[in-house]
Amino acid sequence: MPHLTASADARRIAGGEQLGFGVPGYAHPLLAPAEWAELARPGTPLHWAVLNIANGPGSRPDPHCLEAAGRLRNARERALHGEAPDDTVRASGGRLLGHLDLAHGERPFDELIADARSFIDWYRIGGFYLARCAADRARLPAVRRLTGTLHALLAESDSADGGGRLVLGHGTHPYPGYAEAADQLVTFQGPWTDYRWSQVAEWTADYPPERFAHFVHGVPRTHLEEAMRVARWQGAGTIFFTDRNDRDGRSGQSDPFAALPSYWDEIVSRIGPGISE
């Protein structure tokens, strides 16, 4: 990917934009109770978190997930409507997003819409995370069709205030046209050893930081400050950094983003509280 120009770099760092967390998907609430509890803790600068029961909504409502979703929804209401004045939280009020796996364009449209309806009906989610989203130009029309339909479904839902939020989980820089298909793009997902030397696509300089998210695993505690500098320099407004990696067997989890990093309290304090929308 090409480097940014100097003028674009200057625009990126001039505003001192507020970082916040996007959580790609914690483990089931029974396996990760502390993780889900932290999402609703006052002062956590949470932009959004993904609910994923069985690579989607599952076959029926899960009572434990219903409870976790309700707690996060209540925390969002307190944050946005001032029911807890000391809760100076989260830049996007902590939305809960339903996990839809696009399988790089291989899943049928009707199947994805059926999953989306289940998420809305059962869990009253506030948007969707489109995992394994295609990044090439050829599949853009299909993604546009899907996101347009999802926006319409969310607009009809009484739980998705503001029309909901759609995040495309590319994990890399996609064809630029995808920026107009959703609210936010995940333009990096991978290890710290790649991230610290990564370069940003030049076209991203035309958009504000809240349009991009970075997920990085294997970040040592001693490199947290450096990792946040990279995120700000590259224009990402939403992050999730963890010292876990994809070979980590702690808590029986192979997904490095399924559990809290060991330095969760430290990174929360470094970012500081968000500003409610």
Side-chain angles (χ1 to χ4, degrees), residues 29 36-37 39-40 46 49-53 62-78 93-98 119-126 159:
W36 284 96
L39 296 182
L46 178 68
V50 177
L51 179 64
N52 183 11
I53 292 88
D62 182 301
H64 303 286
C65 293
L66 285 169
E67 182 181 357
R71 285 199 302 267
L72 187 57
R73 191 164 51 247
N74 290 339
R76 175 175 168 80
E77 287 298 312
R78 289 194 301 270
R95 292 183 188 272
L96 184 67
L97 308 182
F119 266 122
I120 291 172
D121 293 345
W122 298 343
Y123 300 105
R124 299 183 61 207
I125 47 84
S159 64

Side-chain angles (χ1 to χ4, degrees), residues 236-255:
T238 300
I239 61 169
F240 192 87
F241 296 157
T242 180
D243 53 342
R244 298 173 185 269
N245 58 62
D246 54 8
R247 298 174 301 280
D248 197 338
R250 283 179 290 178
S251 303
Q253 296 293 341
S254 59
D255 179 356

